[in-house]
Amino acid sequence: MSRFDLATIKLLDRERTVRIETSAGPGREVHRTPIWIVVDDAARVLVRSVRGRRGRWYRELVANPTGTLEAGGKRIPFRAVPANDDERIEACSSAFRAKYRPGASLDSMLQPHTLETTLELRPS
């Protein structure tokens, strides 16, 4: 299983938001949007769509699982893999609770319709 290097993991762990770049496929328009990102206790980089399956970046990653993160002035290419098993879904939720303050924004990331959109990002 491929993981990001330690410096990249530390960068993503401390960044509150990152910009994700996705595309529905080769030759298609690149879409950029800010998202929340977490690193769990197993050093896995996890993301989740606040809009559930309707989120554009999520739909684009399902169609074409490669993308790029922009964080701390660095561009980080990745490949997204589904993380829809109970263990990674809960690890992502726990990491969100630990990183982001309680409130409506955090609550929106913990709704049943968002849980199924949990993805693990790995180096490409």
Side-chain angles (χ1 to χ4, degrees), residues 65-122:
T66 60
T68 304
L69 297 173
E70 293 177 1
K74 185 175 177 183
R75 293 180 55 77
I76 306 162
F78 69 84
R79 180 168 188 79
V81 296
N84 50 14
D85 56 279
D86 291 342
E87 192 271 330
R88 283 185 291 175
I89 288 171
E90 181 51 38
C92 184
S93 295
S94 293
F96 276 128
R97 286 185 200 100
K99 186 172 185 176
Y100 300 97
R101 71 176 180 195
S105 295
L106 176 59
D107 292 346
S108 67
M109 294 300 284
L110 304 173
Q111 297 301 308
H113 75 279
T114 67
L115 301 181
E116 64 189 19
T117 66
T118 305
L119 298 170
E120 182 176 347
L121 306 184
R122 297 179 181 163

Side-chain angles (χ1 to χ4, degrees), residues 49-59 113 116-117:
S49 172
V50 70
R51 291 185 175 91
R53 293 183 183 272
R54 295 178 299 125
R56 180 176 174 181
W57 69 264
Y58 176 80
R59 288 180 291 133
H113 75 279
E116 64 189 19
T117 66

Side-chain angles (χ1 to χ4, degrees), residues 6 15 24 26 37-38 43 45 57 64-65 68 71 82 104 116 118:
L6 185 58
E15 291 292 314
I37 192 163
V38 293
V45 176
W57 69 264
N64 177 29
T68 304
E116 64 189 19
T118 305

Side-chain angles (χ1 to χ4, degrees), residues 3-15 39 43 45 71-72 74 76:
R3 297 274 169 90
F4 289 102
D5 61 79
L6 185 58
T8 300
I9 289 171
K10 286 181 177 183
L11 170 66
L12 296 174
D13 191 37
R14 77 174 165 263
E15 291 292 314
V39 176
V45 176
K74 185 175 177 183
I76 306 162

